[in-house]
Amino acid sequence: MRLEPRTDTPLALRLLAPVGAVAAALALCALLVAWTGAPVLRAYGLLFEGAVGSRFALTETLTRATPLILTGLAAAVAFRAKLWNIGAEGQLYMGALAAVVVGGGMLDLPAWALIPVVMIAGMAAGGVTLLGPAVLKVRFGVDEVVTTLLLNFVVLLLVSMLLEGALKDPMGMGWPQSAPVVEAAELPKLVARTRLHAGLAIALGLSVLLWLVDTRTIWGYENRAVGANPRAAAFAGMPVTRVMLRTALLSGGLAGLAGAAEVCGLKGYLTLDLSPGFGYNGIVVAMLAQLHPIGVVGAALFIAGIFVGADAMSRAMPVPNYIADVLVAASLLCMLVAGLLARYRLRRG
């Protein structure tokens, strides 16, 4: 048996690839659910009900999906240009750090002015965090997978140091957390008496905007061309270095915006447990979406639903909520196989 590249991948096959990957992941994880002694169909029914079965469940899923959309977009934008940004987690924390500094009383502005300033500050902090590894890549050929991954730990240590020192809330009873942002910096709620905030609207708007930029502008064309073949793009006169640095600023900025939105829309202050892995899960979201900005929204909703639904399922059945992590990992692996089969066909001989 050998793999033969397809001359053209049908649209139906591209659309069915993520669906098949998710179905395969659910089938594989069904074996683990059955191993616990729980009925598989009932367990998956409870997972679905816990994700979207009530007003509260639905808003919690949408709240959880908000940072995943932004980190998924960050990964999709970078991966499209073959900039392997594995550091969205650190960029998210840098955006959150900038949000609590700028939104913690530094500026005396009304809400309509302060919220955009705080969001832009978060994007700038995240963008600058990725700019360093991007410069090392284009100037010295340093592998950005290593630099962005290790920078996550550097950022977490920096945040930990600040939360135990300069940014520690004196009213926090000794807990390592920052002082809360001022009320004017808080994102408004989209649904009363829920945690769903305006960060979701920002994330959805950016998904549409990035899709338009990717398909209708010169910037998007250059991004795709550099990702397909940087040497050919340079031969055609495209500014490859500028495209890579521009992509780094945008990708890191999106991840930083996720951190700023989490602080200003959800928690109100910064702690070390702000993100349960949104940056890393954003890579899974981008891969399930096949790097498509609109597809990122659906993939983020799926991943968020798994985590929220698994929590509800684990309270009703003897299935640990860690099954959500296994489902996400299995979805990524199955998506890689599905993507391979979408681009290649099996031939005998």
Side-chain angles (χ1 to χ4, degrees), residues 132-144:
V135 170
L136 292 175
K137 173 186 173 70
V138 300
R139 184 69 179 86
F140 302 106
V142 178
D143 187 353
E144 73 275 19

Side-chain angles (χ1 to χ4, degrees), residues 160-180:
S160 178
M161 181 189 72
L162 292 174
L163 292 182
E164 292 285 1
L167 294 182
K168 189 171 186 177
D169 183 7
M171 305 297 293
M173 296 186 295
W175 291 101
Q177 65 184 47
S178 73

Side-chain angles (χ1 to χ4, degrees), residues 289-309:
Q290 300 181 80
L291 310 185
H292 194 290
I294 302 298
V296 162
V297 176
L301 289 172
F302 169 71
I303 298 298
I306 284 178
F307 281 111
V308 175

Side-chain angles (χ1 to χ4, degrees), residues 58 82 93 117 140 142 153 163-164 166 212 224 233 259 300 323 330:
L58 181 58
K82 295 296 190 293
Y93 273 96
V117 170
F140 302 106
V142 178
F153 302 101
L163 292 182
E164 292 285 1
L212 292 174
R224 287 181 281 117
I323 193 68

Side-chain angles (χ1 to χ4, degrees), residues 103 107-116 118 181-188 264:
L107 302 175
D108 185 15
L109 295 173
W112 63 266
L114 184 57
I115 289 175
V118 173
V181 297
V182 297
E183 186 177 353
E186 295 178 357
L187 290 172
C264 296

